[in-house]
Amino acid sequence: MNDLVKSIQEKYLFTLEKISDAARSVGRNPGSVKLVVVTKAQPVAVARAAIEAGALYLGENYPEEGAAKIQTLREFSAVEWHMIGHVQSRKAQTVAVNFNCVHSLDSLKLAVRLDRFCGEANLSMPVLLEFNVGGEESKSGWSAWDEARWSTLVDEISKVIALPNLQVRGLMTMPPLGSAPEYSRPYFQRLKRLQDFLSAQFPLTRFDELSMGTSSDYEVAVQEGATLVRVGTAIVGARQYKTESV
């Protein structure tokens, strides 16, 4: 085991331990939470090292960069690659044919494009619907910070659910950046309430997954119901190079 793999493995196992502690603190099964190691803006060597350190789920933000890594590391067939960043419609095909899951489905337009390319490739793509629960204009996702207006989401979400080649599995959010982990808690709680709302509106659709929490607040996210946490810098370190624009 080389030094890079050893370093990443130590941080990976430490993060898993923290996830387990957070889950147990609220009576949850630690096994209900998946750790997605975010390798965006990292070289292939770091992604390879993360896999060799034990990572089962890798997250990428940029379609072309992620696709290149996936192709280079295709011998690791057991690894799931998750698209967690904003996807421009023109890059939907790259995502559809390379990734195993999309966390960041943020519009009906993108959903239709993904569905089309998945259909052409005879694929079925698990997706999470991204919601903006903090009201920041810079954040992607369906507007969901005003709970009184959640009913206005129903029509468009129903159209996404009806697409034949997408499997809606849950919700995702990125809360406003705060100075402490506790700052994120009310936003995670809001996404959990939205999960309950949509589950009641669409009882035949399973909204089981909640993708929320990053290096700065994943323990709070787990306490509030996260089933997928996206941790990058706490495991693989800071970004190492400038990547494609999105």
Coordinates of all heavy atoms in Angstrom, one line a residue, residues 90-91 96 99 109 176 178 194:
R90 N -26.6 20.2 -22.5 CA -25.8 19.8 -23.6 C -24.8 18.7 -23.2 O -24.2 18.0 -24.1 CB -25.0 20.9 -24.3 CG -24.0 21.6 -23.3 CD -23.5 22.9 -24.0 NE -22.6 23.6 -23.1 CZ -21.3 23.4 -23.0 NH1 -20.7 22.4 -23.7 NH2 -20.6 24.2 -22.2
K91 N -24.7 18.4 -21.9 CA -23.8 17.4 -21.4 C -24.5 16.2 -20.9 O -24.0 15.3 -20.3 CB -22.8 17.9 -20.4 CG -21.9 19.0 -21.0 CD -20.8 19.5 -20.0 CE -19.9 20.5 -20.6 NZ -18.8 21.0 -19.7
A96 N -25.4 10.4 -19.1 CA -26.3 9.2 -19.3 C -25.5 7.9 -19.6 O -25.9 6.9 -19.1 CB -27.3 9.5 -20.4
F99 N -22.3 7.5 -16.1 CA -22.5 7.5 -14.7 C -23.6 6.5 -14.2 O -24.5 6.1 -15.0 CB -22.9 8.9 -14.2 CG -21.7 9.9 -14.2 CD1 -21.3 10.5 -15.3 CD2 -21.0 10.1 -13.0 CE1 -20.3 11.4 -15.4 CE2 -19.9 10.9 -13.0 CZ -19.5 11.6 -14.2
K109 N -36.3 20.2 -18.0 CA -35.6 20.2 -19.3 C -34.4 19.2 -19.2 O -34.3 18.4 -20.2 CB -35.0 21.6 -19.5 CG -34.2 21.7 -20.8 CD -33.6 23.1 -20.9 CE -32.7 23.2 -22.2 NZ -32.1 24.5 -22.3
P176 N -27.0 26.7 2.2 CA -26.0 27.8 2.2 C -24.8 27.5 3.1 O -24.9 26.8 4.1 CB -26.9 29.0 2.8 CG -28.3 28.6 2.5 CD -28.3 27.1 2.6
G178 N -22.3 27.8 5.9 CA -22.3 28.4 7.2 C -21.0 28.3 7.9 O -20.1 27.6 7.4
L194 N -39.7 18.0 3.0 CA -40.1 18.0 1.6 C -40.2 16.5 1.1 O -41.1 16.2 0.3 CB -39.1 18.7 0.8 CG -39.3 18.8 -0.8 CD1 -40.7 19.4 -1.1 CD2 -38.2 19.5 -1.5

